[in-house]
Amino acid sequence: MRRVVIDEPFVPDYGGACLSSLVPALRARDQATPEWLPAPAVGASQILLLVVDGLGWQQLRQHAAEAPTLAAGTGNAITSVVPTTTATALTSITTGRTPAEHGVVGYRMAVPTDVAALGGSGHGGGASATPSEVLDVLHWTTANGDARRRLPATSVQPHAPFVDGGVPAVTRAEFAATGFSAVHLNGARVVGWRVPSTLVVEAGRLLRRGEPFVYAYYDG
């Protein structure tokens, strides 16, 4: 396998070709579309946004023979956000906001034990109030256990996903009721799948039904 050496660190292109700009660009109707958006997506009557967790541009280029259909797609690389974790990046994709804006700044972050201390600002990751505890974002737990009741997702991240929230999101069925899904998919119409083939079936069903925009997530 060819080794890729990067002399300089990548800096997120916030406001430009970045994951946080993707959904706003795809859902724009009355605004000029950015030049980095692939031509087939510009003005498309229907869009399926498939997020394959952990698959980056370099990995795809290095293993094009194993994923020929994906590798043959039109477009170029865009930057991720910092940090490039699932919790942070997925929330930036769905909300169209940077980590500093939506407040989910990593897998684990300090939050006040008193939810009122968050003040509804959506910047739970930067909270400095004491006493505080560490929140495991993907499991939505702290050392005191399940935090879904005493730390509602919207108290940490209040922004609606997909611009207006009313988008079908095809994801693992077991993820549907989790605190993290409430954070980055709040207001979306969650459609569960249990085996990968069902993801394809459900996405196809929604598109045939005429949905203009469908979000699908594969964690494999």
Side-chain angles (χ1 to χ4, degrees):
M1 182 174 66
R2 183 171 61 90
R3 182 182 180 188
V4 177
V5 178
I6 301 172
D7 294 327
E8 298 292 336
F10 283 118
V11 176
D13 186 11
Y14 293 140
C18 182
L19 288 182
S20 56
S21 303
L22 184 57
V23 165
L26 290 172
R27 304 215 70 195
R29 287 294 177 263
D30 301 322
Q31 303 175 16
T33 52
E35 60 181 17
W36 52 266
L37 197 66
V42 178
S45 59
Q46 289 182 295
I47 290 176
L48 168 64
L49 175 58
L50 172 63
V51 176
V52 182
D53 202 337
L55 178 62
W57 179 262
Q58 293 175 1
Q59 293 98 323
L60 184 59
R61 297 272 72 83
Q62 292 169 4
H63 299 276
E66 288 129 303
T69 302
L70 283 176
T74 300
N76 292 292
I78 64 174
T79 63
S80 185
V81 296
V82 173
T84 55
T85 64
T86 294
T88 301
L90 288 189
T91 309
S92 283
I93 290 174
T94 60
T95 65
R97 297 173 182 269
T98 68
E101 291 173 321
H102 60 60
V104 179
V105 294
Y107 279 128
R108 294 176 177 83
M109 58 189 194
V111 294
T113 53
D114 179 7
V115 67
L118 285 171
S121 64
H123 294 276
S128 59
T130 55
S132 64
E133 56 187 341
V134 176
L135 175 70
D136 178 330
V137 174
L138 292 184
H139 297 95
W140 213 254
T141 58
T142 68
N144 294 315
D146 191 329
R148 285 177 294 179
R149 287 183 179 273
R150 56 193 175 81
L151 190 65
T154 53
S155 68
V156 175
Q157 198 296 102
H159 306 290
F162 309 114
V163 181
D164 58 12
V167 164
V170 185
T171 188
R172 279 190 183 271
E174 54 265 42
F175 293 166
T178 64
F180 178 57
S181 286
V183 162
H184 77 291
L185 295 176
N186 182 42
R189 289 175 281 137
V190 176
V191 178
W193 61 268
R194 295 194 179 278
V195 294
S197 59
T198 313
L199 183 158
V200 179
V201 170
E202 292 295 344
R205 178 182 63 82
L206 290 163
L207 291 171
R208 286 191 297 274
R209 197 172 69 184
E211 294 286 351
F213 189 96
V214 176
Y215 171 86
Y217 174 70
Y218 177 65
D219 64 327

